[in-house]
Amino acid sequence: MMKIDILSLFPEMFDGFLNTSIIKRAIDSSLVEVVIHDFREYADNKHKKVDDYPYGGGQGMVLMCQPIIDCLKDIVTKESLVILMSPQGKTLEQSYSQKLSLEKHLVIICGHYEGFDERIRDYVDVELSIGDYVLTGGELASMVVCDSVIRLLDGAIKDISHEDDSFSAGLLEYPQYTRPYEYDGNSVPDVLMSGHHENIRKWRLKQSLLKTYHKRPDLLKKKDLSQEELKILQEIQKND
């Protein structure tokens, strides 16, 4: 079972997240244990203060190192991977979520205010960002990380469900259809009604390549294309 410890000043933000959908089922099935720690409780001052003005001057407040580091010392083990949610971190990608899903223990630190005391970084293994924008705090970002990881745990969802996800194969996902067959003059592609599995596979592969080529061509530069994929892509480029 994986364990995830999250350090936050606002534990109540996780109530809905942990009690809904796939995350709740994974917790109920003992695939993962998620514990939220209010690191304010580790503050060693009378008023449980966790932030202060930065040395040298500047705008805003900075999170003090003492409460967070003491909390880390209380929960981190040799099996822990400590993650700091930070706009300075590496951008989360599906491949990294897959790597994180193999860890036994994740510890995620959520920030607030204008930043962290730099000494906190001495206790961190990796800094992680979910994109080039700034959030009020790290809680929402940590939920994104948890969701992307937990759904990959064995038994959380059917393997085939996430194997076909966008980015899992380095391509965007092919179009999906369900009932009714025709709606508002728009019908389901005939190949999906044919029952011919090989033709359906080829159609889906081509559609994935088409979507990726038009929407995220940068992904194609990173992907090691098979001979079949390369041939289809060349046809797409020729007809574009």
Side-chain angles (χ1 to χ4, degrees), residues 13 35 50 56 72-73 106 109 112 118 126 133 146 193 199 213 215 218 232-233:
M13 288 185 66
V35 180
V50 296
L72 290 175
K73 288 180 177 179
L106 300 180
I109 306 171
H112 263 275
E118 187 67 19
V126 60
Y133 48 88
C146 289
M193 309 297 293
N199 287 348
Y213 177 70
K215 295 183 176 182
D218 57 297
I232 294 172
L233 181 60

Side-chain angles (χ1 to χ4, degrees), residues 37 64 70 73 119 130 171 174 179 182 235 238:
H37 302 268
M64 301 160 66
D70 281 3
K73 288 180 177 179
R119 290 166 288 188
I130 62 168
L171 301 171
Y174 50 78
R179 293 179 177 80
E182 188 275 334
E235 292 176 358
K238 182 179 179 180

Side-chain angles (χ1 to χ4, degrees), residues 114-204:
E114 288 299 314
F116 299 87
D117 186 302
E118 187 67 19
R119 290 166 288 188
I120 292 171
R121 287 187 163 91
D122 294 338
Y123 297 81
V124 169
D125 297 308
V126 60
E127 293 186 44
L128 199 56
S129 167
I130 62 168
D132 293 336
Y133 48 88
V134 179
L135 298 171
T136 303
E139 282 75 16
L140 292 177
S142 72
M143 292 180 207
V144 170
V145 173
C146 289
D147 190 285
S148 72
V149 169
I150 292 173
R151 67 191 306 277
L152 295 175
L153 299 178
D154 288 341
I157 59 177
K158 293 181 180 178
D159 288 344
I160 194 66
S161 294
H162 63 71
E163 287 172 359
D164 287 338
D165 284 341
S166 290
F167 310 115
S168 289
L171 301 171
L172 298 185
E173 188 178 12
Y174 50 78
Q176 298 272 28
Y177 297 86
T178 188
R179 293 179 177 80
Y181 167 72
E182 188 275 334
Y183 184 76
D184 202 21
N186 196 351
S187 301
V188 176
D190 289 339
V191 65
L192 298 179
M193 309 297 293
S194 69
H196 196 297
H197 297 297
E198 179 61 12
N199 287 348
I200 292 173
R201 183 194 69 81
K202 290 180 178 179
W203 180 86
R204 285 176 167 170

